[in-house]
mmCIF file of all heavy atoms in Angstrom:
data_model
loop_
_atom_site.group_PDB
_atom_site.id
_atom_site.type_symbol
_atom_site.label_atom_id
_atom_site.label_comp_id
_atom_site.label_asym_id
_atom_site.label_seq_id
_atom_site.Cartn_x
_atom_site.Cartn_y
_atom_site.Cartn_z
ATOM 1 N N GLY A 754 -2.007 24.628 20.454
ATOM 2 C CA GLY A 754 -2.549 23.287 20.673
ATOM 3 C C GLY A 754 -1.985 22.222 19.744
ATOM 4 O O GLY A 754 -2.145 21.032 19.982
ATOM 5 N N ASP A 755 -1.326 22.638 18.668
ATOM 6 C CA ASP A 755 -0.758 21.646 17.751
ATOM 7 C C ASP A 755 0.448 20.940 18.368
ATOM 8 O O ASP A 755 1.196 21.548 19.126
ATOM 9 C CB ASP A 755 -0.190 22.329 16.482
ATOM 10 C CG ASP A 755 -1.271 22.795 15.529
ATOM 11 O OD1 ASP A 755 -2.459 22.665 15.863
ATOM 12 O OD2 ASP A 755 -0.891 23.287 14.447
ATOM 13 N N ALA A 756 0.634 19.688 17.967
ATOM 14 C CA ALA A 756 1.947 19.065 18.153
ATOM 15 C C ALA A 756 2.802 19.512 16.968
ATOM 16 O O ALA A 756 2.263 19.905 15.927
ATOM 17 C CB ALA A 756 1.800 17.558 18.171
ATOM 18 N N PHE A 757 4.119 19.452 17.115
ATOM 19 C CA PHE A 757 4.978 19.952 16.030
ATOM 20 C C PHE A 757 6.111 18.980 15.740
ATOM 21 O O PHE A 757 6.792 18.493 16.634
ATOM 22 C CB PHE A 757 5.563 21.318 16.404
ATOM 23 C CG PHE A 757 6.145 22.033 15.203
ATOM 24 C CD1 PHE A 757 5.334 22.795 14.378
ATOM 25 C CD2 PHE A 757 7.498 21.930 14.890
ATOM 26 C CE1 PHE A 757 5.848 23.446 13.255
ATOM 27 C CE2 PHE A 757 8.032 22.574 13.771
ATOM 28 C CZ PHE A 757 7.198 23.333 12.959
ATOM 29 N N LEU A 758 6.278 18.684 14.465
ATOM 30 C CA LEU A 758 7.379 17.824 14.029
ATOM 31 C C LEU A 758 8.359 18.699 13.250
ATOM 32 O O LEU A 758 8.051 19.150 12.143
ATOM 33 C CB LEU A 758 6.816 16.684 13.174
ATOM 34 C CG LEU A 758 7.790 15.600 12.746
ATOM 35 C CD1 LEU A 758 8.540 15.003 13.942
ATOM 36 C CD2 LEU A 758 7.037 14.477 12.026
ATOM 37 N N GLY A 759 9.504 18.946 13.867
ATOM 38 C CA GLY A 759 10.458 19.876 13.274
ATOM 39 C C GLY A 759 11.438 19.212 12.334
ATOM 40 O O GLY A 759 11.487 17.978 12.206
ATOM 41 N N PHE A 760 12.201 20.037 11.653
ATOM 42 C CA PHE A 760 13.305 19.557 10.820
ATOM 43 C C PHE A 760 14.362 20.649 10.814
ATOM 44 O O PHE A 760 14.050 21.813 10.533
ATOM 45 C CB PHE A 760 12.835 19.272 9.391
ATOM 46 C CG PHE A 760 13.938 18.798 8.483
ATOM 47 C CD1 PHE A 760 14.419 17.494 8.577
ATOM 48 C CD2 PHE A 760 14.531 19.651 7.559
ATOM 49 C CE1 PHE A 760 15.455 17.052 7.760
ATOM 50 C CE2 PHE A 760 15.563 19.217 6.738
ATOM 51 C CZ PHE A 760 16.025 17.909 6.845
ATOM 52 N N GLY A 761 15.590 20.266 11.129
ATOM 53 C CA GLY A 761 16.667 21.249 11.143
ATOM 54 C C GLY A 761 16.381 22.363 12.133
ATOM 55 O O GLY A 761 15.982 22.109 13.273
ATOM 56 N N SER A 762 16.507 23.610 11.658
ATOM 57 C CA SER A 762 16.383 24.749 12.578
ATOM 58 C C SER A 762 14.927 25.166 12.796
ATOM 59 O O SER A 762 14.653 26.046 13.593
ATOM 60 C CB SER A 762 17.174 25.932 12.019
ATOM 61 O OG SER A 762 16.659 26.228 10.731
ATOM 62 N N ILE A 763 13.985 24.522 12.098
ATOM 63 C CA ILE A 763 12.566 24.858 12.309
ATOM 64 C C ILE A 763 12.028 23.906 13.368
ATOM 65 O O ILE A 763 11.746 22.729 13.107
ATOM 66 C CB ILE A 763 11.775 24.783 10.990
ATOM 67 C CG1 ILE A 763 12.427 25.756 10.009
ATOM 68 C CG2 ILE A 763 10.303 25.114 11.215
ATOM 69 C CD1 ILE A 763 11.721 25.919 8.704
ATOM 70 N N THR A 764 11.954 24.389 14.598
ATOM 71 C CA THR A 764 11.801 23.476 15.734
ATOM 72 C C THR A 764 10.442 23.545 16.402
ATOM 73 O O THR A 764 10.152 22.727 17.273
ATOM 74 C CB THR A 764 12.862 23.793 16.803
ATOM 75 O OG1 THR A 764 12.680 25.170 17.199
ATOM 76 C CG2 THR A 764 14.262 23.615 16.238
ATOM 77 N N GLY A 765 9.598 24.511 16.062
ATOM 78 C CA GLY A 765 8.276 24.602 16.686
ATOM 79 C C GLY A 765 8.348 24.775 18.179
ATOM 80 O O GLY A 765 7.534 24.216 18.913
ATOM 81 N N GLN A 766 9.313 25.551 18.648
ATOM 82 C CA GLN A 766 9.587 25.562 20.093
ATOM 83 C C GLN A 766 8.437 26.081 20.937
ATOM 84 O O GLN A 766 8.428 25.824 22.135
ATOM 85 C CB GLN A 766 10.861 26.352 20.376
ATOM 86 C CG GLN A 766 10.890 27.681 19.658
ATOM 87 C CD GLN A 766 12.243 28.343 19.780
ATOM 88 O OE1 GLN A 766 12.392 29.216 20.575
ATOM 89 N NE2 GLN A 766 13.229 27.898 19.014
ATOM 90 N N SER A 767 7.436 26.770 20.343
ATOM 91 C CA SER A 767 6.353 27.273 21.189
ATOM 92 C C SER A 767 5.330 26.177 21.534
ATOM 93 O O SER A 767 4.456 26.385 22.351
ATOM 94 C CB SER A 767 5.647 28.453 20.509
ATOM 95 O OG SER A 767 5.086 28.013 19.284
ATOM 96 N N SER A 768 5.442 25.009 20.925
ATOM 97 C CA SER A 768 4.533 23.915 21.280
ATOM 98 C C SER A 768 5.158 23.083 22.392
ATOM 99 O O SER A 768 6.379 22.986 22.499
ATOM 100 C CB SER A 768 4.291 23.026 20.060
ATOM 101 O OG SER A 768 3.667 21.824 20.459
ATOM 102 N N ASP A 769 4.298 22.468 23.232
ATOM 103 C CA ASP A 769 4.878 21.612 24.276
ATOM 104 C C ASP A 769 4.934 20.146 23.830
ATOM 105 O O ASP A 769 5.360 19.281 24.569
ATOM 106 C CB ASP A 769 4.121 21.770 25.602
ATOM 107 C CG ASP A 769 2.638 21.512 25.420
ATOM 108 O OD1 ASP A 769 2.204 21.229 24.281
ATOM 109 O OD2 ASP A 769 1.905 21.594 26.429
ATOM 110 N N LYS A 770 4.477 19.874 22.608
ATOM 111 C CA LYS A 770 4.553 18.490 22.092
ATOM 112 C C LYS A 770 5.398 18.527 20.835
ATOM 113 O O LYS A 770 4.864 18.613 19.727
ATOM 114 C CB LYS A 770 3.152 17.982 21.759
ATOM 115 C CG LYS A 770 2.208 17.943 22.951
ATOM 116 C CD LYS A 770 0.781 17.827 22.492
ATOM 117 C CE LYS A 770 -0.177 17.894 23.692
ATOM 118 N NZ LYS A 770 -1.549 18.165 23.249
#
Side-chain angles (χ1 to χ4, degrees):
D755 286 4
F757 195 85
L758 186 53
F760 179 76
S762 58
I763 302 185
T764 58
Q766 47 189 259
S767 61
S768 167
D769 55 359
K770 299 163 184 164

